[in-house]
Structures are given as C-alpha cells and as structure tokens.
Amino acid sequence: MTMNLTTEIVLPGIVEPSGLQLRQVPQPVPGADQVLLRMEATGVSFAEKSMRRGRYPGQPKFPFTPGYDAVGTVIAAGDGVDRALIGQRVAASLKIGGWATHLLAPADEVVPVPAGVSAADAETVIVNGVTAWQMLYRKARARSGQTILVLGVSGGVGTTLAQIAINDGIRVIGTASPRHHAALRAMGVEPIDYADPDLSARVRQLSPRGVDAVFDHLGPDSAKKSFALLAPGGALVVYGIAVDLDKSTALVPVFIGLLGRVVLWNALPNGKGASFYDFWGGMLVDKAGSRSRRREDLAKVLDLMASGAIKPIIAATFPLYQAQAAMELAEARGVFGKVVIVPGD
C-alpha cells in the first residue's frame, strides 16, 4: 500500500533562510472540525521573518512548519464539517503550517475563493487583506473624504490597505523607497521617501491639518512621530515593531512600553486615539466572534479583488523547494508587494 506523503518546509530553530529544511512526512488526516487542503499558494509575511529569529510573540517551539496563510482545495474533512466544502478552493488563516503541499486548517477559518480569482492572487490578501480592512474600518473607522498615512506602503499590507482606502474615496499618503514611487502614484498613492529626514514636514505639506489616521508597524520611536501627525480626532493604529526585528533586546519590554504610551495618548484631552492591532485579537475572550469577523472581512476583500477594485501585487513567485530564496527576497528592504510560494514540481 502506497502512503500519501506531504512535502513541507521546517524551521528547525533560529537560523538564516539557508537553514530552512525540506522534508517529506505522511499526509495529515483531518480531525474534528478540520479540513485537509492541497496547497495551491502560500506566502511570506512579517510573521515568518519574525519566527525564524524566534521573535514572534506566541510562536510554537522549534521545530515547526511556518506559513501564516494559504489557499488550497479541500480534499478531505473531519467530523462535524460540511462535506460540501470538499472540492472547493478556499483561503485559510493558519498562523503556522502553510508551507506544505498538504495542510490542516480549522473549518471555521476558511473562506471560499470567488470564481475568477487565482490562488496566487487570493494569497496576497488573506492575512494582508484582513489586517488592512480591520485596521482601516474596525480600528481607525476611516471614511470617504479623509486622509490617511501608511508607513511602508509598498509592502503587502500597505499596498492592500492603500487600494481598499482609495476605492472608498480615502486619500492615501504613503512612505516608500523612491524606486516604487511611480508604481504607487499609478495606484493613486501620494508617495514620500521613507528616508526623508524631514518626513514629518513633508506630510504636513501634503496635509497641513494633519492626517485622520496613521498605520505604523515600525516601533515606538516611529509611533511617537506618527501620533504627532494626527489631525484632531485622528487615530493611530500600531501593528508591529519592525525596526526591532534584528535587535537582540527582548521584545516584551518594547511592547509593554509602547502599550503604556498608547494608554497615555488615549488619556490626553485632544480627541486623538491610538490602538494596537493584532490579527488574532479577541481569540481569548470571543473565539467564535473573532473568527466570524475574520471570515466576514476576508470575504469582503476577496469580493473587491473579484470585482477588480483590488489588484494583486505579487513581488515574485517561488516553488516550495525554493523557500529559502523566497524568504531572502521577502526580507530585502523595500520589496513591492507579496512574495508568494506555490507547490512547484
């Protein structure tokens, strides 16, 4: 009897991209409330970059298979799962496990991919799209006619957030490397050089009253400057500390310090607000509601892609066995869009 095998990438410990391992293991079997997907596309996000350094909050113990999200066809389902899902192409939020030819996903985390949207295209907006949508509307409560600032707008989250906002009549100012400015202007973004020493002054030139929201993933020092750029009633949304990724200092004190600053900012009598965004936020207190909101918001983003309102921006596509090259490119500064991984031959 021939055993069905899965090819997967393993992160064995804190290693450089060259330390990723390729192995074959028996194909997993879905348990209750799970589905088995044949992977068609996955990708590299900030999470994988952090996990390989051992610096992602709540990551599992090494070794494990990374992969924060994936698109695949449901080929089997466990107990308690609607059998109508079998044969459907779906997008799944995972946290880990996506870098494999076959993977398990919670049935209540998957969302059908609309007809006409390819697996690679859908992959660009699973975590990035939900993150962008929830920060824009659930956190900042942005609306048509407002002006927002997106730091690192050329990345996966940034390009998705900018497109959603522009489609809704929201003006977008964004920081990025000058080599991406022409492409960003074509999208409708007003770009600023991220390395401009007078960046705050440039933002003020474009929006003298300040901006209605800032989306900042860089860290405490950047967040302080971002908060100062808010217009009255504006909102700062912090969703990472990227500048601390390669430092040796512990991240927990950095997060605690930033949290304290957010609490202080919200107490100021100026009408401005600040918040953290966590993709898995709410899972401890309202697991079902958190998952329901993610599915709802991902479905909205996928529908925008199906309608053409959001264009997939793919930096490059690599086969699974070239995960090292995929991660190296994703970690290169100023990559435009999402690095996607497909099964390969």
Side-chain angles (χ1 to χ4, degrees), residues 120-204:
D121 290 353
E123 164 58 27
T124 66
V125 295
I126 304 176
V127 168
N128 288 346
V130 172
T131 298
W133 183 279
Q134 294 190 340
M135 289 198 303
L136 190 64
Y137 295 119
R138 294 190 183 274
K139 288 290 187 180
R141 302 191 181 279
R143 58 187 183 274
S144 180
Q146 290 188 328
T147 298
I148 66 173
L149 172 64
V150 182
L151 302 186
V153 72
S154 62
V157 172
T159 53
T160 305
L161 196 157
Q163 290 186 83
I164 293 172
I166 290 167
N167 180 68
D168 199 20
I170 298 168
R171 181 189 179 200
V172 178
I173 301 169
T175 67
S177 169
R179 69 179 180 275
H180 298 314
H181 285 192
L184 290 166
R185 288 191 187 95
M187 289 171 51
V189 175
E190 298 173 51
I192 300 173
D193 184 353
Y194 75 92
D196 190 328
D198 295 320
L199 193 149
S200 294
R202 287 285 297 119
V203 174
R204 288 288 183 182

Side-chain angles (χ1 to χ4, degrees), residues 55-80:
R55 293 176 69 77
Y56 189 84
Q59 72 182 73
K61 294 181 179 179
F62 297 113
F64 62 89
T65 295
Y68 216 76
D69 55 18
V71 176
T73 297
V74 179
I75 59 174
D79 292 341

Side-chain angles (χ1 to χ4, degrees), residues 40-41 71-72 89-91 113-126 302 305-306 312 314 317 340 342:
E40 296 178 36
V71 176
R89 171 183 282 171
V90 298
V113 176
V117 176
S118 74
D121 290 353
E123 164 58 27
T124 66
V125 295
I126 304 176
L302 287 170
M305 176 168 277
I314 298 175
T317 301
V340 173
V342 296

